[in-house]
Every structure is written in C-alpha cells, then in structure tokens.
Amino acid sequence: QTRDFLARFDALVIRTLCTIIGVSRLSANALTQTKLKISLGGLGLRAAMDFAVQARISSISTSATLARLQMRDPLPQNATSVDAATLVDDGEADDLIQMHNARVPPAEHLDRSTLDLGLKQERLSRPIDDQLADDFYASLNPADQARLYSQRDPLSYIWLLQRPNEEAGTAIPTLEFPIAILFWLGEIQKYGGPCAYCQTELDPLGTHATGTCRHGRHVSRHYQTVRVIKNFMGEWNIKAQTETPHIFGPADRRRPADLSLPRVLSEAIFAPLPLLINPTCPSYLPQTAQEGGYAAQLREDDKLEKYSALCTQHHIDFEPLALEVYGRTTARGMNTLKELVRYAVTHSNAEMPQTVINWQFHQLKARLCVTLLRQNVDMILRCCNYRSDHPDDQVDPLEHQERELDYLDA
C-alpha cells in the first residue's frame, strides 16, 4: 500500500512538472535527469520511491530520543544506537537495514549496532544519489555526457537556486522558463528554420549562436555576457570600455579582450575576455564527456598562450573568462570573477566588509548564469521564427513545439 502511494505521488510530481513546462510527456532520459540532485545536473525532484527506506531509517533514528521521552521512559545515558532504543521490532529493523545495504557500497552498510541516533537522511541517501547519477551518465551518448558534466558546475546550476529578481537581472520570464527547463534536460536537440532576424539557418549551439546577427537588432550570447560585466562595473562607478582598439598602441589594432577596465592608482589595465564554448561540439569530444570543464580550459589556455606575454609587456592584466554555453567555467575563470567583484567593491569603499564582497560575487554569478540561459532560450525561440523583442502576433512556440522544435523523443 505504501509503495502504491509513493508511486502515485512520484507520478503526480512529474505530471505537475509537465504542466508547468507545457508538455504532455518527457523522454526517459529527461525523466531520470529530473530526479538527480541539482548539484549533479538534475532538477532535484527526487523520487520518493527511491528513498523511502532511507527516510524511514532516518525518522526512527532522529526521533528515538524524543519518542522515549514522550513515553516517559528515557534512554539510558550510554545509549548510542537505535538498537538500544528498542523502538522497532526486530523484523522491521532487519528488513530496513537489509534493503538499505542492498543499494549502497559495502563501506556504507549499516547494522543494528551502527544505526546511530540522529542519523540524517542526507548521509543515507548520498551514495544512492551518486549511484543514480553514475548509472544515468553511463547510459548517455558522449554529447549528453558532456552536457551533464558541464551542468554540474555551481555556475551552471545557480539559476535553479537563485531567487528570481527582475531588478537584479536574475528573473526568467514566464515564456522563457519552460524552454529553459527543456534545454537543461536535453529535450531540445534538433533544430531547423531560418533566423527571424537574418534568415540564416539556425543552430542554437553552433556558429550562428555565438556570432553577431548584423542584419537585425539581436545581440549574441557573447556580447550579452560582456554587457553583464560592464553594467556591474558601472553600478560601482567604474567605466568599462568594450571593443577597445589600439590597446597595444596607436598603430596596433589587435584586441585581446572585449572589455577593458582602468586600474585605480596604477597604469595597468584589467582586461577580462569572456569566451563562450559549446562542450558538445565534436571537436571537443570525447574529452568533454570524460572531464568536466575540458573545453573551457582548452580555450583559456589557447588565449593565454596567444596574448599573455604581450599583455604583460604592456602592463595589462589579461584574464580570459572561459564560459561553456551551459555556464561552466574554470578555476581561473572563477577567480577572475572574484577579482572583478573585489576590484569594483573596494574601489567604491576600501573598508567594505567581506560579507558584502561575497554577496556581490554571488549576485554577479547569478546574473551571468541567468543571462546566458536566457540567450540560449532566445536562440531556440528564433528557431521557430519567434522574436523575443516583438512577441505580438507571432506563434507561441509552446503551442506548436512538437511540430516546430521536436522537443520530445518520438
């Protein structure tokens, strides 16, 4: 009876998700991904059926002391395990332990003597979460493996944890949100149709997606990420210049970075260079399916080799900011963002508390993540001839998604 209830509950959760994103069904891979933890590339909609045993063990373990107090029969002071609490009969305890041990590695096995009081479900469920993620990853093709690896980075999934705020630039409009979820789940894979701006054949993860559409008013994902950084610096009264020519001198038109910031009390220039890379491109496979952040690291190293020595010679702090299209960056890229925030905040007030710097760093990451995601969605909308800046009298992509976008598996 309990299993039937849990199955109905899990089915209700999935039906609710499908209603929210406007689809009738999801593919088997997408269903599995929704059940993964957010930090493992999922949506955190974990199936109750998968963790019922761990929830029962945890509830007994964490309530044992209080339950005995309520029965006016407190535990002995030296009691450390549920076995000593004698709250469950031998049959149930043994069955629960056996079912748990069948799903976890030997190092995570329990027995009656190690069933500690206050045992949290998170500790019991972690190895099952990891195993579900590993099994799912092993079942995917290399391109989807690369996508999932890229989505496991904190900068990639911060949009799922961030409270939407339109003024802060971390809100996703109602029309775009369902498509963002489908994009995250890998349900949007086949494209077609001309760009609504320039009529060029579209591929939202390909060349057109990262280039500028000069025949219309659309600004690509690359320049939108630059704009996020420029606007952030402007909020702290630091004027950033984009597309700066002659950075190496009046006769040299080479431009190593899309953004340059004057160093305060110094002749140096801080030049971050946002790069957008698609880790699922064939040229990066299979490495990106085996190593998270490989594509971003490769492009970062290429730019450093090309410009680092020359920039140092001209007193320029050159920092490539490599971002994969799902949001993942490198350790150096994360440090670049931290440096941008520290530079901006301390420029305004050298005595600014570290808590303020940390909060602003979190906000910049969220704005970058949401902006990049919205640009991904905009490319998908334009695949069905939908221009987000002129939504009136156009086809709603969600009403014709199976015909226009092939969101779902056949």
Side-chain angles (χ1 to χ4, degrees):
Q1 185 176 1
T2 301
R3 291 179 63 85
D4 290 342
F5 172 79
L6 293 176
R8 291 197 302 271
F9 176 80
D10 290 338
L12 177 62
V13 170
I14 296 302
R15 283 201 303 271
T16 302
L17 172 65
C18 290
T19 300
I20 291 173
I21 62 179
V23 300
S24 58
R25 66 193 185 280
L26 291 170
S27 68
N29 281 347
L31 284 173
T32 303
Q33 188 175 344
T34 63
K35 299 174 184 178
L36 299 182
K37 292 170 58 176
I38 289 177
S39 60
L40 294 175
L43 293 180
L45 302 178
R46 299 156 79 190
M49 181 75 79
D50 289 339
F51 301 97
V53 171
Q54 289 68 35
R56 174 61 175 157
I57 293 174
S58 178
S59 67
I60 294 171
S61 173
T62 55
S63 62
T65 303
L66 180 60
R68 287 292 291 265
L69 287 174
Q70 293 293 327
M71 294 187 296
R72 298 186 179 182
D73 183 18
L75 288 171
Q77 290 186 353
N78 61 347
T80 59
S81 70
V82 173
D83 189 37
T86 61
L87 285 174
V88 293
D89 62 73
D90 291 344
E92 181 183 7
D94 290 339
D95 288 345
L96 289 171
I97 291 172
Q98 183 179 1
M99 287 188 286
H100 172 76
N101 290 347
R103 298 195 61 194
V104 299
E108 303 290 341
H109 281 187
L110 299 174
D111 57 47
R112 293 181 68 88
S113 63
T114 58
L115 199 60
D116 301 333
L117 295 174
L119 197 60
K120 300 295 185 182
Q121 182 180 342
E122 180 185 5
R123 174 190 159 186
L124 297 170
S125 301
R126 187 182 303 116
I128 299 176
D129 279 321
D130 293 340
Q131 188 61 51
L132 288 172
D134 290 344
D135 292 343
F136 177 57
Y137 173 83
S139 70
L140 298 174
N141 61 52
D144 278 331
Q145 289 176 341
R147 172 177 61 83
L148 196 66
Y149 250 137
S150 189
Q151 291 171 333
R152 291 181 179 183
D153 187 75
L155 189 57
S156 296
Y157 60 72
I158 193 172
W159 69 280
L160 289 167
L161 304 173
Q162 179 73 15
R163 179 177 296 178
N165 186 317
E166 189 170 347
E167 292 184 0
T170 58
I172 301 175
T174 303
L175 173 67
E176 298 177 10
F177 183 78
I179 303 173
I181 294 291
L182 291 167
F183 175 79
W184 185 256
L185 296 177
E187 289 288 75
I188 300 177
Q189 297 179 351
K190 297 179 180 179
Y191 310 95
C195 170
Y197 294 86
C198 68
Q199 302 304 307
T200 302
E201 194 70 17
L202 284 175
D203 175 6
L205 295 179
T207 303
H208 187 275
T210 54
T212 303
C213 183
R214 302 186 184 279
H215 298 278
R217 290 180 294 159
H218 174 69
V219 181
S220 70
R221 292 183 295 192
H222 173 79
Y223 290 103
Q224 289 289 1
T225 56
V226 172
R227 183 176 294 178
V228 169
I229 298 174
K230 181 179 181 180
N231 290 345
F232 176 82
M233 305 306 287
E235 292 167 7
W236 294 93
N237 298 318
I238 297 177
K239 186 177 180 180
Q241 293 187 356
T242 55
E243 304 295 324
T244 309
H246 313 301
I247 198 170
F248 296 133
D252 195 332
R253 296 192 60 83
R254 284 177 293 179
R255 185 178 51 82
D258 299 296
L259 199 69
S260 59
L261 310 169
R263 282 290 199 188
V264 180
L265 303 179
S266 170
E267 294 181 357
I269 296 174
F270 186 44
L273 171 63
L275 300 165
L276 284 178
I277 311 103
N278 175 18
T280 67
C281 281
S283 58
Y284 294 122
L285 294 172
Q287 286 86 352
T288 49
Q290 302 165 359
E291 180 183 348
Y294 171 85
Q297 188 65 60
L298 187 64
R299 289 298 305 278
E300 179 184 276
D301 293 343
D302 288 344
K303 287 297 181 181
L304 284 171
E305 182 179 356
K306 183 177 181 180
Y307 286 118
S308 184
L310 187 59
C311 286
T312 301
Q313 180 182 341
H314 287 81
H315 306 287
I316 297 171
D317 295 333
F318 176 68
E319 291 293 340
L321 175 59
L323 289 170
E324 296 180 354
V325 293
Y326 294 99
R328 190 180 188 114
T329 188
T330 63
R332 183 167 186 151
M334 195 66 76
N335 288 333
T336 297
L337 291 177
K338 289 180 181 178
E339 169 65 9
L340 280 168
V341 173
R342 188 204 62 77
Y343 171 51
V345 175
T346 56
H347 167 74
S348 174
N349 183 350
E351 303 299 325
M352 195 70 74
Q354 185 64 38
T355 52
V356 175
I357 297 176
N358 292 342
W359 172 248
Q360 291 297 328
F361 176 52
H362 175 81
Q363 287 297 104
L364 178 59
K365 289 191 297 181
R367 288 163 69 173
L368 271 174
C369 177
V370 171
T371 299
L372 184 56
L373 182 67
R374 290 192 61 189
Q375 290 303 305
N376 289 328
V377 170
D378 184 62
M379 294 300 301
I380 294 163
L381 285 171
R382 293 195 291 124
C383 276
C384 59
N385 206 30
Y386 188 97
R387 288 176 59 169
S388 55
D389 60 342
H390 287 90
D392 297 337
D393 301 324
Q394 296 186 71
V395 175
D396 183 344
L398 290 178
E399 292 182 0
H400 299 275
Q401 56 197 353
E402 295 190 18
R403 177 173 62 84
E404 296 282 357
L405 295 178
D406 193 12
Y407 285 146
L408 308 174
D409 291 339

